[in-house]
Amino acid sequence: MIERWTRGALAAIGLCVVPAPAIAQDDLDGAPMSMSLQVTTDPSTIECRRLEKVNPASLVFLPLRRTFNEDFDEHPLANGRWVPHYAGGAAWPEARYWGGDGSDFKRKTSANGEQQIYVDPRYAGRNAAPLGLDPFKVKDGVLSIVASRTPPGLKPVLFDNEYISGILTTQGTFAQKHGYFEIRAKVPVGHAVWPAFWMLADDGGWPPEVDVLEGRGEKPGDLVMTTHWRIPSTQKIQSCGFDFAVGDASSAFHTYGVLWEEDRLVYFIDRRPVSDIKVPIGFDDPMYMIVNLAIGSKFFLGVGPVDAESPPTVAFEIDRISVYQIDLEQARR
């Protein structure tokens, strides 16, 4: 999601059509306390690869136990699990300027060319009192992060951003090293629309970054899953990932996940492995989760700047977010 250092740095990228999952959609609805994922044990490489043909002899079932689950049966800010802005940290102090002018601080990643500001009911912008703007709507166990055009009268108060929208992170409330991280969601489309579910190191450093899901709003059904890391000897950022075509991604719920093992990262769509990469250097700390709906981009293909065709309002619908840890004791049996 943080694109300013990664332009032109993708080691591999391409479009892959994801076949219908072998798992019934009903089985994907919930987050059981324990489950198994089918994974490959063959050697992985630092350059990511699609898992279109996997040697059946290399497949094993990896047991997992649930460590986090959010079904969004209540407002996401009601339970203390989620923070509605970026936090930054000592390992990456400049992250504190994500945004820019005054109270815009922590409320956008301006280097991306984003044209939204992330708000919540307590956010005041340039105002002395909270504005009461709430981009988070909950209905029937589904969270909608809603982006809408900024009311003209509030533009000066909200630093002249074209849209208001929402972000939720678990920095400071939940982070985990290794395991399986999954979102079940519909992926919105539209000009300048950029939904994402991603992970950063809990110490505030960057990279590493794991983009479990990014939607290219101007390319319906086109999703990208990417790993970002830094080469210590050159300090250059490297990225490797693939685009996947999920034709009904905007109209039907699907699950999108990443399994972080000691030696590899495996990306999943509907719990089917679709790509993997050897864990790059620098993936040493637990990671926290971020889910957001950005509007506008300078660099991210398929997400351009706001224009007349950009929707007046758009929603990122999220049914749940779940995390599992690898059950080492069960795996040894």
Side-chain angles (χ1 to χ4, degrees):
M1 183 70 191
I2 301 171
E3 296 295 322
R4 60 184 173 137
W5 299 111
T6 60
R7 190 178 185 186
L10 286 179
I13 196 156
L15 184 66
C16 176
V17 176
V18 179
I23 302 169
Q25 279 294 330
D26 287 349
D27 296 333
L28 300 171
D29 288 355
M33 291 300 297
S34 61
M35 68 174 185
S36 295
L37 280 179
Q38 196 170 41
V39 297
T40 179
T41 59
D42 64 354
S44 57
T45 63
I46 195 61
E47 292 202 2
C48 51
R49 60 181 179 173
R50 289 197 189 101
L51 295 175
E52 294 172 332
K53 294 181 180 178
V54 178
N55 178 7
S58 75
L59 292 174
V60 297
F61 281 94
L62 186 68
L64 304 168
R65 55 180 174 80
R66 200 177 77 193
T67 54
F68 178 100
N69 186 60
E70 178 64 81
D71 281 319
F72 298 110
D73 291 324
E74 60 181 350
H75 193 282
L77 302 183
N79 57 26
R81 282 182 165 181
W82 300 98
V83 178
H85 54 74
Y86 291 113
W92 187 24
E94 63 267 33
R96 298 194 184 108
Y97 74 76
W98 284 350
D101 182 12
S103 296
D104 200 3
F105 166 83
K106 297 184 180 179
R107 297 286 174 165
K108 65 189 294 184
T109 307
S110 55
N112 282 348
E114 296 171 21
Q115 294 173 268
Q116 90 293 319
I117 185 168
Y118 296 126
V119 298
D120 66 80
R122 295 184 178 181
Y123 182 60
R126 285 194 172 107
N127 205 29
L131 297 171
L133 299 170
D134 192 352
F136 308 113
K137 313 298 180 187
V138 174
K139 183 179 180 181
D140 298 329
V142 174
L143 167 70
S144 294
I145 301 179
V146 180
S148 55
R149 290 204 179 250
T150 306
L154 289 181
K155 267 198 169 183
V157 179
L158 293 172
F159 308 94
D160 296 315
N161 286 282
E162 293 293 329
Y163 278 76
I164 55 174
S165 188
I167 186 171
L168 296 170
T169 95
T170 61
Q171 187 173 18
T173 67
F174 178 87
Q176 182 172 294
K177 185 173 183 179
H178 302 142
Y180 179 62
F181 303 77
E182 181 181 81
I183 186 172
R184 185 171 188 263
K186 294 180 184 179
V187 184
V189 297
H191 285 269
V193 175
W194 188 5
F197 175 58
W198 47 303
M199 295 155 54
L200 290 175
D202 200 46
D203 69 355
W206 181 83
E209 176 180 336
V210 175
D211 293 324
V212 185
L213 162 70
E214 292 181 279
R216 303 190 190 273
E218 292 158 26
K219 298 185 172 187
D222 187 355
L223 315 168
V224 61
M225 301 171 136
T226 314
T227 308
H228 305 270
W229 69 99
R230 188 189 304 272
I231 304 296
S233 59
T234 63
Q235 292 299 297
K236 289 185 177 177
I237 306 302
Q238 294 293 313
S239 303
C240 199
F242 292 105
D243 281 51
F244 298 94
V246 181
D248 63 349
S250 65
S251 59
F253 285 104
H254 291 272
T255 66
Y256 307 92
V258 65
L259 175 66
W260 178 14
E261 298 181 90
E262 250 185 77
D263 63 337
R264 80 180 76 204
L265 292 160
V266 188
Y267 292 86
F268 289 78
I269 297 176
D270 289 332
R271 297 189 188 148
R272 173 185 175 272
V274 293
S275 69
D276 76 349
I277 182 173
K278 182 178 178 181
V279 174
I281 193 166
F283 280 68
D284 303 315
D285 294 299
M287 301 189 88
Y288 67 94
M289 298 176 289
I290 304 169
V291 60
N292 65 290
L293 178 54
I295 302 290
S297 170
K298 291 178 184 175
F299 309 130
F300 191 63
L301 184 65
V303 179
V306 169
D307 61 18
E309 294 185 38
S310 298
T313 183
V314 62
F316 186 10
E317 294 180 72
I318 302 151
D319 178 49
R320 62 171 173 79
I321 292 174
S322 308
V323 184
Y324 290 78
Q325 185 54 274
I326 299 165
D327 192 334
L328 295 176
E329 184 177 334
Q330 182 70 22
R332 291 190 189 103
R333 291 177 184 173

